[in-house]
Amino acid sequence: MSGQYKTRAGWTPPATPKVGPVHGSSAVPEVVPREVRETISILVVDDEHTLREGCSSILRSEGYNVSLTGRSEEAAELIKRNTFDIIVADLYMPELTGMDLLAIANEHAPDTICIIMTGNPSVESSIAGLRAGAWDYLTKPFSAAHLNIVIGRAAHAVAVAREREAHASEADSSGSEAAGAMGILGRSASLVKAIDLARKVAQTDASVFLTGESGTGKEMFAQLIHSQSRRTSREFVPLNCAAVPENLLESEIMGHVEGAFTGAVREKRGLLEIAHGGTLFLDELTEMPIGIQAKLLRVIQDGVVRRVGSTKTDAVVNVRFVAATNSDPSEAVREGKLRRDLHYRLRVVPIHLPPLRERREDISLLADHFLAWFWERHRGYENGSLPKWTDEARRAMLARPWPGNVRELRNVVEHISVLAEPDGTIEADHIPFLEEGDGASSARMSFRGVMEGQDYHTARDQVLADFERGYLEYVVAESKGNISDAARIAGVDRTTLYRLMEKHGTNRNLLLDTAD
């Protein structure tokens, strides 16, 4: 069975394994020690006798405990009665399909790694399998080396999961502290849904695609997924694709050999090799050049890395991918900035992170958390010395649109924690966005209507009224009380401006006094 397996149409001629030698050794590096492989149980399900026996021969020679069946109904009973670490099942079988077995495994053995085999591959079936919970898939015909690589990755994941369970209490404690420190806090339904989905998918090796505005915490979510995954004891490697010059990005990801280009004075491992066994976080993926996207896709599919300037396979890697962007990935695909096939491969589980303005019930919770965090960090006082927010200060924060999201709120609260007095109060005018004269504060756009207990129409009318008055204050102050100049700034005639002033019961002098 050193060649390729048979398809439904019959045998294909033996072929050279698709994956070549690695550093002069066998195609599959010794990632999991044999004594560990001997403790890993695998169930192979396929109605093709020769393929089934061939898989068994190869895997048993590697030390795995292998069980076989050619009937999918028998496989279903075995899955219900026994605990397997890995299940390898054909997608198309006469009784139950591989997808049926996948559903049974998800119900009765959710920790089992399931790998689907198919002789009729398609993007749709592959994506459907991965979304249904398959860990990976094998396309027939496949080589013995390819089988060993895929099973080796799965065995490594099993070993890491066992290691993680052995230190479960320590991992849970550190993960909880990290989440708190990173600010992944909130009780809003949209955030709770995103956190629950992240924790659920963390237990698998499925690729995750995070979307959301800048400052919503995409890297924090990626770290949360890693910390609660089977890979928590290995590296979490972040890469901002927009921050690395295009001519260096491929070397950063793939590594390079000595002499590959000017300045390559020594061999360098890329981030894919550094992240082996762990998680690679690709932030701002849509900024990655198309050519490099194609090479990354090959690594995701085959698990092999060829460094820049190399003529051979330099490493076999087992990496979990989490990608992110603050733009619409589907739009990036339409614009040709993101490869469609790469998008499909990385978007097995999409998670959208809501902006802070859509979860205002979390603002006070986050502000209190950041205040305690930075107070201890910068001041070192006991909690009893924490200053207190006034009601007006809290309303001002709730009214803020927070275009920079949680990151902006964090920076504002850190500023406050450095300047506030112990046991004092934090007033609305102590908050930087009210002092620094940005567009929102200059216009007095405090949106006081967006508060609990008000229906949409009441809140909308209140926000509009506050906006109109704030804008009047702004244009009258800018024009130093000259109504003609104020009307010109506002782009309306004097009559409209006077009508607005009358509507809000204000005059020029009162507006100037308020603006001052």
Side-chain angles (χ1 to χ4, degrees), residues 62-83:
E62 293 293 321
Y64 299 105
N65 291 315
V66 183
S67 299
L68 302 175
T69 179
R71 296 182 58 248
S72 54
E73 287 186 345
E74 181 182 356
E77 292 303 316
L78 287 172
I79 294 170
K80 294 175 183 177
R81 296 197 308 264
N82 301 279
T83 300

Side-chain angles (χ1 to χ4, degrees), residues 284-472:
E284 298 307 328
L285 178 70
T286 56
E287 299 300 318
M288 180 183 292
I290 289 292
I292 301 179
Q293 289 183 30
K295 296 179 180 180
L296 176 64
L297 181 64
R298 181 180 179 86
V299 174
I300 295 172
Q301 291 174 335
D302 299 337
V304 296
V305 174
R306 177 175 292 182
R307 296 174 181 169
V308 177
S310 177
T311 58
K312 61 181 178 64
T313 295
D314 294 290
V316 175
V317 295
N318 173 11
V319 177
R320 201 260 183 85
F321 292 90
V322 179
T325 179
N326 60 15
S327 58
D328 181 355
S330 298
E331 183 65 26
V333 170
R334 287 192 292 270
E335 294 176 354
K337 296 173 61 178
L338 177 62
R339 286 181 62 108
R340 187 179 301 275
D341 45 7
L342 180 61
H343 181 216
Y344 284 150
R345 195 67 195 240
L346 292 177
R347 195 179 177 271
V348 176
V349 179
I351 300 178
H352 179 71
L353 308 189
L356 190 56
R357 64 181 175 275
E358 292 180 6
R359 52 186 187 100
R360 293 185 182 277
E361 59 266 52
D362 294 338
I363 292 175
S364 286
L365 176 67
L366 286 165
D368 290 341
H369 168 75
F370 288 140
L371 182 62
W373 175 265
F374 287 117
W375 190 261
E376 176 64 27
R377 175 179 174 181
H378 294 302
R379 313 297 285 271
Y381 298 135
E382 297 296 329
N383 286 343
S385 297
L386 277 174
K388 304 294 189 296
W389 304 96
T390 65
D391 291 342
E392 184 63 27
R394 288 192 184 276
R395 283 195 294 269
M397 287 193 298
L398 287 172
R400 173 74 171 173
W402 298 108
N405 293 295
V406 178
R407 183 185 296 126
E408 181 185 0
L409 175 62
R410 178 189 174 104
N411 292 341
V412 164
V413 176
E414 181 173 16
H415 174 96
I416 291 170
S417 70
V418 171
L419 299 180
E421 293 296 329
D423 291 318
T425 58
I426 303 171
E427 305 288 345
D429 59 0
H430 294 163
I431 302 175
F433 66 74
L434 293 180
E435 293 180 342
E436 294 175 351
D438 62 15
S441 62
S442 297
R444 306 303 199 266
M445 291 168 59
S446 58
F447 299 135
R448 296 183 183 88
V450 186
M451 298 173 65
E452 292 185 19
Q454 291 189 347
D455 60 47
Y456 166 75
H457 296 289
T458 303
R460 182 195 60 187
D461 291 345
Q462 185 62 52
V463 168
L464 182 58
D466 285 346
F467 164 75
E468 289 177 347
R469 180 178 175 82
Y471 192 76
L472 284 172

Side-chain angles (χ1 to χ4, degrees), residues 184-186 190-200 221 224:
I184 306 181
L185 299 172
S190 56
L191 183 70
V192 170
K193 179 180 178 181
I195 292 174
D196 288 346
L197 183 55
R199 286 175 173 161
K200 183 177 181 180
F221 263 77
L224 177 64

Side-chain angles (χ1 to χ4, degrees), residues 91-241:
L91 181 60
Y92 301 106
M93 290 180 287
E95 298 163 339
L96 300 174
T97 68
M99 295 291 282
D100 295 329
L101 293 180
L102 183 58
I104 293 170
N106 286 339
E107 179 181 356
H108 295 276
D111 293 332
T112 298
I113 290 176
C114 297
I115 298 169
I116 296 295
M117 299 182 289
T118 175
N120 300 291
S122 69
V123 172
E124 291 75 14
S125 63
S126 300
I127 294 298
L130 292 171
R131 285 182 172 170
W135 192 81
D136 205 342
Y137 60 90
L138 283 163
T139 300
K140 301 178 186 179
F142 50 83
S143 66
H146 193 185
L147 175 66
N148 272 329
I149 288 174
V150 173
I151 297 299
R153 292 180 192 164
H156 176 267
V158 171
V160 172
R162 290 175 179 176
E163 181 181 345
R164 179 176 181 270
E165 289 172 4
H167 302 86
S169 59
E170 178 183 351
D172 289 344
S173 173
S174 62
S176 177
E177 291 176 8
M182 292 184 291
I184 306 181
L185 299 172
R187 49 177 170 260
S188 62
S190 56
L191 183 70
V192 170
K193 179 180 178 181
I195 292 174
D196 288 346
L197 183 55
R199 286 175 173 161
K200 183 177 181 180
V201 73
Q203 302 302 317
T204 73
D205 264 358
S207 299
V208 180
F209 206 126
L210 302 170
T211 57
E213 298 176 6
S214 294
T216 50
K218 294 186 289 295
E219 183 168 348
M220 298 173 192
F221 263 77
Q223 290 174 335
L224 177 64
I225 291 169
H226 174 76
S227 71
Q228 298 195 10
S229 73
R230 299 164 174 159
R231 300 169 177 265
T232 185
S233 62
R234 304 304 173 108
E235 292 287 334
F236 172 82
V237 181
L239 171 65
N240 188 322
C241 300

